[in-house]
Amino acid sequence: MSRRQRLLNGWLRRIEKPRLRTAAPATLRRSLEIQARLFFFAPGGTRRIWRRWGGVRCLELTPRGQQPNRTVFYIHGGGFVFGSPDTHRAMAAQIGQRLGARVVMPQYRLAPEAPFPAAPEDVRAAWDALIADGIDPASVVVGGDSAGGALAFGLIAALCAEGRPRPGAVFAFSPLTDLTASGDSLRSNAEAEVMLPAERTAELAETFLCGADPQEPRVSPLFGRFDGAPPSWITVGDTEILCDDARRLADVLRRDGVCVELCEEADLPHVWPLFHNILPEARVTLDRLAAWIRQQQGWGREN
């Protein structure tokens, strides 16, 4: 563990976890937007443009040296109630730079103003429109973090169920996969978790679901089927309350014959790649993900 990791864990435990325990969604949104502007930076030369696909506002990031036919469709996290493409664009741009790929980030609607099924519907509308533009699905890699990981694998489950073309690969950082909150780590890691307050998970799930089935695969992919799904890469910290969400999703994917790589890291915080500007472990994880994607997609560093 690096010294910066120890310092970051301490700061998250003392400052961020108590705030996440009590703050209203609007407060969380403002706070993360400010933190993103202050602490998270995209690589130099990254171009940003807002576009619409399927009526959904999306942020398109283009790195220097972009290679043709390479797209990452990235879905931000935030418990379905906060977060945006702007809060996650620096990390997404880091992925794009490592791959020479453009990144498309849908700005899906958030609860409580827009509860389920708004988020998965927006993600699906943006995906369908992107493919309708003539993009080969196999040239796209889908990814997400936390609740965005739920939406990423939920999209894959839906495409598999409908027999629709799938992306070339899918990945997730610290994914939320089970809105029934049945994972053992939700309780066993409640104290060790440095960021997410376990006691608030039920409230946020209820705010988002508004009475909908918590086993709905579009947002709880643990209950989906993945026959014919693309190769998958998942990473999670072993002290996270969502550790079992990641482990059990990997088991479900393997059950359905999917090639899965699960990378479980020691004592790293929830979605630690967000902290790539300050945390060496975050940059290592992004490098490992990029290497895996290049291998799966046959993307060299230069074409």
Side-chain angles (χ1 to χ4, degrees):
M1 178 189 297
S2 69
R3 182 172 181 270
R4 289 191 176 191
Q5 182 182 336
R6 288 193 296 273
L7 291 172
L8 177 62
N9 282 356
W11 177 72
L12 292 171
R13 183 182 296 281
R14 290 191 301 271
I15 305 299
E16 292 301 319
K17 189 173 183 178
R19 187 151 54 97
L20 288 169
R21 186 175 284 121
T22 59
T27 301
L28 294 174
R29 291 175 193 174
R30 288 193 299 270
S31 174
L32 186 55
E33 294 285 346
I34 292 170
Q35 289 174 338
R37 289 196 297 271
L38 291 176
F39 302 121
F40 306 149
F41 306 107
T46 301
R47 287 180 289 137
R48 294 178 288 155
I49 184 170
W50 286 94
R51 300 181 56 182
R52 286 191 178 272
W53 275 284
V56 179
R57 192 166 181 252
C58 299
L59 180 61
E60 183 181 63
L61 304 170
T62 305
R64 282 179 179 164
Q66 179 197 7
Q67 301 295 317
N69 302 315
R70 298 184 184 185
T71 300
V72 176
F73 186 78
Y74 192 84
I75 309 165
H76 72 82
F80 304 108
V81 300
F82 64 101
S84 72
D86 276 330
T87 62
H88 287 63
R89 62 181 168 85
M91 178 179 69
Q94 291 285 340
I95 297 170
Q97 182 196 47
R98 284 165 167 79
L99 297 171
R102 72 164 174 167
V103 182
V104 174
M105 305 178 70
Q107 188 173 32
Y108 59 88
R109 289 168 290 168
L110 301 173
E113 297 89 344
F116 178 86
E121 286 182 347
D122 287 354
V123 167
R124 181 60 184 271
W127 167 263
D128 285 347
L130 185 68
I131 301 310
D133 268 356
I135 303 299
D136 179 4
S139 72
V140 183
V141 175
V142 170
D145 63 273
S146 196
L151 292 168
F153 278 96
L155 172 64
I156 302 302
L159 295 174
C160 290
E162 298 168 20
R164 301 290 296 275
R166 269 79 86 186
V170 58
F171 68 91
F173 305 125
S174 306
L176 169 66
T177 70
D178 174 17
L179 288 178
T180 72
S182 64
D184 289 341
S185 61
L186 190 66
R187 287 158 288 278
S188 63
N189 280 351
E191 291 301 320
E193 164 77 59
V194 299
M195 187 170 179
L196 300 183
E199 63 270 26
R200 200 167 186 194
T201 55
E203 172 205 339
L204 292 179
E206 183 179 348
T207 297
F208 170 61
L209 289 169
C210 279
D213 183 2
Q215 295 189 23
E216 162 61 53
R218 286 180 293 171
V219 289
S220 283
L222 186 68
F223 303 101
R225 296 286 311 185
F226 293 93
D227 304 276
S232 303
W233 186 96
I234 301 169
T235 193
V236 69
D238 63 356
T239 54
E240 290 193 62
I241 59 173
L242 296 183
C243 186
D244 280 339
D245 279 44
R247 291 169 175 167
R248 292 182 299 154
L249 179 61
D251 289 341
V252 165
L253 291 163
R254 294 183 184 115
R255 176 202 68 192
D256 294 339
V258 181
C259 180
V260 184
E261 185 166 333
L262 175 64
C263 302
E264 196 170 315
E265 303 292 351
D267 203 28
L268 280 164
H270 184 62
V271 195
W272 66 90
L274 277 172
F275 302 99
H276 55 86
N277 290 125
I278 60 173
L279 190 64
E281 290 86 349
R283 294 189 289 274
V284 169
T285 295
L286 292 173
D287 289 342
R288 288 175 177 169
L289 169 65
W292 179 83
I293 291 174
R294 286 196 299 268
Q295 180 182 36
Q296 297 299 322
Q297 294 293 93
W299 294 349
R301 291 185 180 272
E302 294 182 0
N303 277 354

